[in-house]
Amino acid sequence: MDLRWLRLASWVETVSLVVLLVNLATAHAAAVASLMGPVHGSAYLATIATASLLPLPRHTRLLTLVPGIGGLLALRRTAAASTAPGD
């Protein structure tokens, strides 16, 4: 199963959240917030949509609903399931 797009969307979602939080804690620049807010929201939705199109277990797909790190959690669960003993 090719998880390339889920991996990309998940990382963009997580990095954009980190940028938003660092901006909030430091300079609180409105330009950064107005640029990264929609990027983060779009990446969040892309992560959910991508996971729903892949043949993943239901619990793994539901993990993508966790904002910020849900995609990475789903990828971790997928990697753990593919390397589980007994496969």
Side-chain angles (χ1 to χ4, degrees), residues 2 7 10 14 17 21 25 29 33-34 38 42-43 45-47 50 52 55-56 61 68 71 76 79 86:
D2 188 16
R7 191 173 295 113
S10 298
T14 303
L17 178 63
L21 292 175
S34 65
S42 298
L45 294 175
T47 300
T50 303
S52 70
L56 297 172
R61 272 189 262 124
R76 182 177 178 176

Side-chain angles (χ1 to χ4, degrees), residues 7-81:
R7 191 173 295 113
L8 176 66
S10 298
W11 277 107
V12 170
E13 177 190 4
T14 303
V15 169
S16 64
L17 178 63
V18 168
V19 169
L20 283 168
L21 292 175
V22 167
N23 180 50
L24 183 62
T26 57
H28 196 48
V32 173
S34 65
L35 174 68
M36 294 309 292
V39 169
H40 175 67
S42 298
Y44 175 62
L45 294 175
T47 300
I48 295 168
T50 303
S52 70
L53 294 173
L54 292 171
L56 297 172
R58 183 171 184 250
H59 290 98
T60 304
R61 272 189 262 124
L62 288 175
L63 277 175
T64 61
L65 296 176
V66 177
I69 61 166
L72 296 178
L73 293 174
L75 286 168
R76 182 177 178 176
R77 178 173 284 193
T78 303

